[in-house]
Amino acid sequence: MSRIVYVNGEYLPEEDAKISVFDRGFLMADAVYEVTSIIDGKMLDFAGHATRLVRSLDEIDMKAPCTIEELESIHREMMARNNLTEGLIYLQVSRGAADRDFAFPVGVEPSLVLFTQAKNIVDSPFVKTGMKVISIPDIRWGRRDIKTVQLLAPSLGKMAAKAAGADDAWLVEDGYVTEGTSNNAYIVQQDGTIVTRDLSHDILSGITRAAVLRYAAEAQIKVEERPFTIEEAKAAKEAFVTSATTFVGPVVEIDNARIGDGQVGETAKRLREIYISESLKTAI
Ligand code: PMP
């Protein structure tokens, strides 16, 4: 059965959902996006994703395609039309279609596209086994805090991980881990302290990161926001990643070295449970 895709005001069967070849998202990666998770037919932290979208748009002087209220109702309509109870909604805003030019076009309306992906996100296979990561150089641009669709570098990173028999890659710059290819990265020190890189232009300010750090503080777990090295990660008690669709994903191996006893860590397990149950309370 074909999905219903939203394109600039229309709900269309996916076969009929089309964007111009002149769209700047296609030609220049001049587009930003958000991914919102759905559990039990409800959106997790829609407000967080909407706020970050507005910030991404502002940072690159891109016009908002509609209001947040309109965006929320389009999300709801997409869930209803696609009978989506678990999975994700992908949203992309591009600067629109215009003759190819590096300078931004004047008077062009942004393009808005949404589609759904049904997926088991609660019972992910990584929950029991944990994931293996490799470390690779971070070759991305300097404004990783803006959620743009320039995803070739992370794509190459995932492929490098796959070729090495791993599940994902952690990106390293100037000797320190920035984040994962599509997630924020954390270690748990032997004393139980969680360490994750501080926010800056170097990493994406994860919506899941913000929630998990809040829940960790509420659970009296000490958190340090600072850069850490791969050596520290290898000597850690645990490691994990967070993202909207992974929630809290345990990491059990880095560059073929086991983290702790190589099993899913207690902190990651606990934070994952807290994250899912707490997020569901405020899901809409
Ligand atoms: N960092 C990067 C590079 C990402 O692509 C993502 C996922 N979009 C994240 C972090 C996690 O962000 P969020 O928790 O908002 O999904």
Side-chain angles (χ1 to χ4, degrees):
M1 204 183 78
S2 136
R3 279 173 294 189
I4 295 297
V5 172
Y6 177 94
V7 184
N8 293 328
E10 290 187 286
Y11 294 91
L12 302 163
E14 63 181 67
E15 304 76 23
D16 301 330
K18 304 255 162 62
I19 278 281
S20 163
V21 294
F22 296 104
D23 191 276
R24 289 176 60 93
F26 174 63
L27 293 178
M28 293 178 155
D30 189 0
V32 295
Y33 75 108
E34 281 297 330
V35 176
T36 306
S37 275
I38 312 298
I39 306 181
D40 295 344
K42 288 181 179 163
M43 292 183 276
L44 268 54
D45 211 341
F46 174 78
H49 289 284
T51 304
R52 186 172 62 189
L53 174 68
V54 170
R55 182 183 179 277
S56 291
L57 291 168
D58 284 349
E59 290 296 315
I60 58 170
D61 283 327
M62 195 183 282
K63 191 174 158 187
C66 60
T67 65
I68 298 300
E69 292 70 33
E70 286 164 334
L71 217 50
E72 187 182 325
S73 61
I74 298 168
H75 275 76
R76 288 193 186 290
E77 192 64 30
M78 286 293 281
M79 272 196 284
R81 289 188 188 233
N82 289 287
N83 295 314
L84 185 67
T85 53
E86 190 173 329
L88 60 93
I89 300 184
Y90 175 90
L91 163 159
Q92 178 169 324
V93 184
S94 84
R95 207 177 300 273
D99 251 3
R100 188 176 179 279
D101 189 353
F102 284 87
F104 296 166
V106 178
V108 167
E109 287 305 307
S111 303
L112 175 61
V113 169
L114 282 87
F115 58 81
T116 57
Q117 268 176 222
K119 200 175 169 187
N120 291 336
I121 49 178
V122 177
D123 284 327
S124 126
F126 292 128
V127 182
K128 287 196 184 74
T129 57
M131 48 183 112
K132 298 175 181 176
V133 302
I134 57 165
S135 63
I136 56 169
D138 194 339
I139 58 167
R140 300 173 301 161
W141 80 322
R143 289 301 305 273
R144 303 156 193 157
D145 57 311
I146 307 170
K147 198 166 167 58
T148 75
V149 301
Q150 299 178 58
L151 298 175
L152 183 55
S155 238
L156 291 169
K158 293 257 193 216
M159 291 311 289
K162 218 171 159 177
D167 305 297
D168 205 351
W170 278 13
L171 311 174
V172 177
E173 187 171 55
D174 299 331
Y176 293 94
V177 174
T178 50
E179 55 190 335
T181 58
S182 62
N183 42 55
N184 290 114
Y186 307 73
I187 56 171
V188 182
Q189 292 180 162
Q190 295 298 339
D191 69 357
T193 306
I194 294 175
V195 182
T196 193
R197 196 178 176 104
D198 48 310
L199 295 180
S200 68
H201 288 174
D202 300 338
I203 64 167
L204 185 73
S205 175
I207 301 305
T208 321
R209 178 188 184 279
V212 165
L213 293 189
R214 200 170 61 241
Y215 300 140
E218 282 166 15
Q220 317 286 332
I221 303 172
K222 216 177 137 215
V223 175
E224 273 178 30
E225 291 179 66
R226 62 162 175 89
F228 62 87
T229 64
I230 289 294
E231 286 60 45
E232 274 183 279
K234 285 181 181 170
K237 197 171 163 191
E238 291 182 34
F240 62 90
V241 294
T242 65
S243 80
T245 50
T246 311
F247 311 134
V248 178
V251 170
V252 296
E253 214 177 281
I254 298 178
D255 289 338
N256 291 315
R258 272 196 205 165
I259 310 298
D261 59 4
Q263 306 292 312
V264 168
E266 280 309 311
T267 313
K269 210 170 137 195
R270 183 165 161 224
L271 282 174
R272 182 181 174 88
E273 282 161 12
I274 298 176
Y275 175 79
I276 294 175
S277 63
E278 288 301 310
S279 304
L280 272 173
K281 285 184 194 164
T282 55
I284 57 168

